[in-house]
Amino acid sequence: MTALRPDLAIIADNVAPGSRVLDVGCGDGALMAALRDERQCDARGLELDGHNVAAAMARGLSVVQGDADTDLADYPDSAFDYAILSQTLQTTRRPDIVLENLLRIGRQAFVSFPNFAHWRMRAALVTHGRMPITRQLPLAWYDTPNIHHLSIDDFRDFVNARGIAVEGCWFLAGEKRRGSGWANLLAQHAVFLLRR
Amino acid sequence: MSEDTRFGLGRTVTLPGPLRLDGGGSLAPVEIAYETYGTLAPDASNAILVCHALTGDQHVASEHPRTGKPGWWTRMVGPGKPIDTDRFCVICTNVLGSCMGSSGPASRNPATGTPYAMAFPVITIRDMVRAQAMLLDHLGIERLFAIVGGSMGGMQALSWTATYPDRVAAAVVIASTARHSAQNIAFHEVGRQAIMADPDWRDGNYYAADTTPSAGLAVARMAAHITYLSEAGLTEKFGRKLQGREAKTFGFDADFQVESYLRYQGLSFTDRFDANSYLYITRAMDYFDLAEEHGGMLANAFRSSRARFCVVSFDTDWLYPTAESRAVVRALNAAAAPASFVELSSPFGHDAFLLENAELARLVDGFLRAGDGK
C-alpha cells in the first residue's frame, strides 16, 4: 500500500488497535483504510467532497458526505475512542465549535494543522508584504479553503484556556519529524492528541 | 440433487398466511411472484433482496414478459455486475398490491370468487416487507446479506432494517426517503384522482368490463413521470422543439416533443400496469413515515439494527431530494449505525438510479464487498 501522509502516519502509529475512530475530513479514506487493515479499527468518516466519499465507499469504508461545521452535532456523545481532524481545522468556519464537538464525540481527539507561524511564512509576509504561498499552503488568498490560519502557539493557548489536556504533540518540518524546540518557528505542521 | 423449484425465474408461490396488515385485518392466502438469480449458498448466507420502485416488478434482470424489454436493473444485477449473481443469490419480489403476480386488487377474492378490486385491503410499505419476509421463510433464508432498493424500494429497505433488525446485515438505500412529504402525497393524489375520474374506472370494478380506465392511468403516469425527471434534463432532451411539424398548429395536438413523449410514456404504461394497483401502491407510499412508526424519532427506527447502511442521493432528484437522504443519515449517525452517504451528480433527476452511473456501480460494489468474508 502507498505510504500515508506524514501527519496521518503519526496518527496511525498512535491509535490503539481495535478502537472506534471517526475521521473528520477523511478525504479518500487513506487513513481509515490503514486503521482498518493494520489496526483492526472500526473506522467511520465524514467528508465534504462527493468524489472523495465515493472513492472511500468503493474501498468498503463507512463514510458520510457532510460538513464538519454543521454535521458533527448529529453524532452521539462518546461514540468513538478517537475523533480525528487532520488538516481540516483551518478550513472550518468555527474551529472552536468543531473542536468542542470532536472532544464530545471522541474520548480523545487527534488534530493536525499547518503552522502559519513557520519562519518561511513570516519571512514571506515581512519581505514581500504578500500572503505567503508555500508548498504546505500552496493556494492564493482568494481561492484557499483555509479561512482560519493558526499557529502552534495559538493552538496551545486555545486548548489551555479551555482546560483541554494535551496528551501528545508531534511536529513536522517538510516530511520529517522534528523535536518540539522552537516548534512555533521551525515546524511546518503539528499533530496534537487532546483529551477532555 | 433434485432441482429446487423454489428458485429460478418466473416463480409464484401461494403462502397460507394470514398476513396481518397495518391497516387492520389480514390477508390470506398471500400470493407472491418473484425471481431468483444465482445460487443460494448451503448456509443461505449470500442472499440479496432487491426491491423495486412503484411501477417496477420482479423482472430485475430478466426480460419483461409483456413488454419484451430487458430487466429494469440489468446495469446493476447480473454476473460480474455490482450485485454479482455469480457470488450472490439475488431475490426480487413483486410487491404486495401490485399486478405482476403478487396478491393485489386484481387477484381473486376467495370470499366472492371475483377480483378484489377496491375490496382489497389498503396496505403499507411495512406490509409489503412482511410479505417479503414470509417468502424468505419459504426459501429458507433467515438473514439477508444485503437489501438493496431505489425509490420505493429504498423505503422497503429502510422498513426491513427497522422491522427485522436481526435479519439484515446491510442495506443500500438509493434516491429514497424515510417518509413521504406533502409534495410527494400531492403528486400521488393528482394521479389517483385522474384514475378515479375516468368513467371506465367504475369504482374499481372494471375487470369484467370491456374497457379499463386507461386514460386516467395514462394521465397519472404522465404527471408522475415529470417528477422522475429534472428540468435541466427535460430542457436538454426536448426544449421547445416541435414534434413532426414545422410550425405550431394552434390547437391541442401534441405540437411539442415533450408532449408526445409524455403521451407515449402514459399509453405504454397502461399496457402493463393495473390502475387499481397504482392506487394501492401510491397509497402505501403516502402512508410511509418510518419515524412515526417509532415514536416520532427516526433514530429509534435504527436502534436495534446491526446493519451497515449505504445511502445515496442524486443532486437533481427533486422527488426525493438529498435533504431526505440526509435526514436518514442524521438518524443513522444518532443511532451510531455504520452508515455511508454520498450525493452523486447526475442530470437525470430521480430516474438517475435506474440509469448508467459508473460511480453508483462502483460504490455499491465496494459496499457489498466490504461485507464479504465477515
Side-chain angles (χ1 to χ4, degrees), chain A residues 5 7-8 11 21-32 44-49 52-53 56 62-69 71-72 75 83-92 98 102 110 112:
Chain A
R5 212 172 62 200
D7 62 315
L8 299 182
I11 295 169
V21 176
L22 176 67
D23 188 358
V24 180
C26 64
D28 64 1
L31 174 63
M32 293 172 66
R44 316 280 176 82
L46 182 71
E47 166 62 32
L48 197 54
D49 179 85
N52 274 339
V53 176
S62 291
V63 176
V64 167
Q65 186 176 15
D67 187 335
D69 271 308
D71 297 338
L72 286 177
Y75 291 85
I84 297 170
L85 189 72
S86 60
Q87 299 206 14
T88 301
L89 186 66
Q90 74 280 1
T91 70
T92 59
V98 170
L102 282 186
F110 281 102
S112 91

Side-chain angles (χ1 to χ4, degrees), chain B residues 41 322 344 364:
Chain B
T322 290
L344 296 181
V364 168

Side-chain angles (χ1 to χ4, degrees), chain A residues 50-52 54-55 58, chain B residues 342-345 356-364:
Chain A
H51 294 294
N52 274 339
Chain B
V342 67
E343 178 189 62
L344 296 181
S345 199
E356 190 70 49
N357 189 306
E359 223 164 22
L360 177 67
R362 209 163 38 241
L363 61 87
V364 168

Side-chain angles (χ1 to χ4, degrees), chain A residues 10 152 156 166-171 178 180 190-193:
Chain A
I10 291 170
I152 291 168
R156 282 192 191 282
V166 175
E167 302 244 301
C169 50
W170 298 264
F171 302 102
R178 50 153 292 122
S180 59
V191 181
F192 280 81
L193 175 59

Side-chain angles (χ1 to χ4, degrees), chain B residues 194-206 209 211-216:
Chain B
I195 290 167
M196 294 193 277
D198 187 324
D200 288 334
W201 182 59
R202 303 165 205 264
D203 295 323
N205 298 303
Y206 53 81
T211 51
T212 61
S214 53

